[in-house]
Amino acid sequence: MTLISRMESVQSPIIPVVGELIKNSPGTISLGQGVVSYSPPAEAIELLPKFLSDSKNNLYQAVEGIPPLINILKEKLAAFNNIEINDNNRIVVTAGSNMAFMNAILAITTLGDEIILNTPYYFNHEMAIAMTGCNPVLVETDENYQLQPQKILAAITPKTRAVVTISPNNPTGAVYSRELLQEVNDICRQRGIYHISDEAYEYFTYDNVKHVSPASFSDSSDRTISLFSLSKAYGFASWRIGYMVIPQHLLTAVKKVQDTNLICPPVVSQYAALGALQAKPEYLKDNIQKIAEVRELVVESLKKLEGICTIAPADGAFYFFLKVKSQINDFELVKRLINQYKIAVLPGTTFGMNQGCYLRVAYGALQKETAKEGIERLVNGLRDLVKS
């Protein structure tokens, strides 16, 4: 007898798949994975001896995070996000914001419930929903990948438990306005469902565009779940530290999930995070400025694809999402770009875009010189392959 696991319905993670293609094509420049090129601040490393000096740190610590880190996160949330931590909400430190998302889904759903994702979605969100036995309900964004609140409203059913928004967005780089986020937040509050706001790229905005946190809206704390990460802004990808701000009434459920899966976030990484959050402001400012300069280079190069691709505005994160005017299957196009042009991007199907040919271009991990070479390869490859 063949046993069918729930994993059968979950898509395979695209990063390892493309990574294997890159490995088999030496010299390939990757515009695939969404990471930054810079390292954590010195303050993160300097705090590690403090962790090592206390043998009690080798024992399990609080499920929701160590108190010093919780306290500095309260200060950060108040100063940057305009989110007040009070009797109505709580901070829970997690092993990255992907764990925070899984915590949230498990805490608020039962089998067969629905979660609304705006397309293109972040693939790990869709995978987590499928793994938990829930159903993703897909709602289209507009031609510039902006939210369409009336379509979100129309998609709500008695089984809907949450609407997910990501701003700045992965995979599109779109940044949602205060007005759009307020409208979605109001819909969720009025319908008694949750607004899950993924803000992993909160610091990465350009051209004077501002990030807005829905949990800063009045009367939002009871129905807003906010997800944050140190992976991007602090070069912390492998350290696995994120955090979530949740309504107080979800704390017991979230702690059950986290204690079962993790017991507590890695304490050594929490100490590093505590140090990182005390870095001088120049650390973030200077590193994000360097990424902004790479972005400008990418913008100029992508203009050469006019007529071949539609490229929507991308005022945040470090992605562009290209709609390629081609009948070629997007994954086949990705393979050809790697094999023939030594340049790797991700296919749009993994982000839920099954009609048409889409590619995600990530530029955060590259220095200027490598980015210039990589984008030139992409431009040349698309010019040749789409015409052929």
Side-chain angles (χ1 to χ4, degrees), residues 349-363:
T349 45
T350 200
F351 302 97
M353 303 299 278
N354 298 312
Q355 303 296 319
C357 182
Y358 294 84
L359 302 174
R360 190 191 77 170
V361 176
Y363 56 86

Side-chain angles (χ1 to χ4, degrees), residues 249-269:
H249 65 258
L250 290 179
L251 180 62
T252 298
V254 166
K255 287 176 69 173
K256 287 179 183 179
V257 177
Q258 181 138 302
D259 185 72
T260 301
N261 283 330
L262 188 69
I263 300 182
C264 65
V267 178
V268 62
S269 295

Side-chain angles (χ1 to χ4, degrees), residues 96-351:
S97 61
N98 274 1
M99 170 161 273
F101 185 81
M102 183 67 87
N103 286 353
I105 297 302
L106 287 168
I108 67 174
T109 65
T110 191
L111 287 173
D113 281 345
E114 296 173 350
I115 305 293
I116 292 176
L117 298 180
N118 296 280
T119 56
Y121 53 63
Y122 171 45
F123 54 84
N124 280 145
H125 286 173
E126 189 268 345
M127 293 166 68
I129 292 164
M131 284 180 189
T132 56
C134 296
N135 299 309
V137 173
L138 309 185
V139 174
E140 291 182 348
T141 50
D142 69 15
E143 66 275 8
N144 289 323
Y145 306 120
Q146 292 291 320
L147 300 171
Q148 300 193 86
Q150 291 310 305
K151 289 191 175 183
I152 292 171
L153 181 61
I156 294 173
T157 75
K159 290 189 173 183
T160 304
R161 294 295 171 263
V163 177
V164 179
T165 62
I166 310 169
S167 182
N169 189 264
N170 177 10
T172 68
V175 180
Y176 303 148
S177 68
R178 173 177 293 275
E179 291 73 23
L180 281 175
L181 288 169
Q182 179 78 68
E183 194 169 350
V184 172
N185 199 261
D186 288 346
I187 288 170
C188 292
R189 188 175 68 255
Q190 291 160 10
R191 291 303 183 100
I193 61 178
Y194 293 95
H195 180 179
I196 301 177
S197 174
D198 187 326
E199 303 175 39
Y201 299 89
E202 57 184 325
Y203 293 106
F204 296 91
T205 58
Y206 314 101
D207 300 331
N208 297 315
V209 172
K210 300 298 183 184
H211 168 68
V212 177
S213 294
S216 66
F217 301 152
S218 59
D219 301 321
S220 66
S221 62
D222 199 46
R223 286 288 162 181
T224 305
I225 299 170
S226 306
L227 314 181
F228 302 93
S229 173
L230 272 72
S231 294
K232 313 303 179 182
Y234 289 94
F236 247 56
S238 71
W239 294 76
R240 308 314 304 136
I241 290 291
Y243 56 102
M244 56 197 305
V245 178
I246 59 174
Q248 174 66 34
H249 65 258
L250 290 179
L251 180 62
T252 298
V254 166
K255 287 176 69 173
K256 287 179 183 179
V257 177
Q258 181 138 302
D259 185 72
T260 301
N261 283 330
L262 188 69
I263 300 182
C264 65
V267 178
V268 62
S269 295
Q270 291 190 67
Y271 267 80
L274 179 61
L277 289 164
Q278 297 176 66
K280 295 180 175 63
E282 289 77 19
Y283 171 81
L284 284 179
K285 181 180 177 182
D286 293 348
N287 282 308
I288 292 174
Q289 177 57 38
K290 289 175 185 175
I291 289 181
E293 291 169 5
V294 173
R295 175 180 176 271
E296 288 303 312
L297 183 154
V298 173
V299 168
E300 285 304 309
S301 295
L302 290 178
K303 288 178 181 178
K304 300 172 186 175
L305 292 175
E306 186 176 353
I308 296 173
C309 297
T310 301
I311 306 168
D315 295 321
F318 31 75
Y319 305 112
F320 285 96
F321 202 65
L322 313 184
K323 182 177 183 180
V324 185
K325 299 175 183 177
S326 173
Q327 298 302 311
I328 303 174
N329 172 272
D330 60 354
F331 188 61
E332 179 61 30
L333 183 54
V334 167
K335 289 192 288 186
R336 292 186 193 180
L337 286 167
I338 292 172
N339 293 332
Q340 298 175 37
Y341 295 89
K342 306 289 186 183
I343 186 67
V345 291
L346 297 188
T349 45
T350 200
F351 302 97

Side-chain angles (χ1 to χ4, degrees), residues 50-51 54-70 92-93 255 258-259 262-271:
K50 185 175 181 181
F51 164 82
D54 188 347
S55 62
K56 291 194 292 293
N57 285 328
N58 298 313
L59 305 176
Y60 298 128
Q61 301 291 328
V63 172
E64 64 267 41
I66 60 174
L69 181 55
I70 298 277
V92 176
V93 180
K255 287 176 69 173
Q258 181 138 302
D259 185 72
L262 188 69
I263 300 182
C264 65
V267 178
V268 62
S269 295
Q270 291 190 67
Y271 267 80

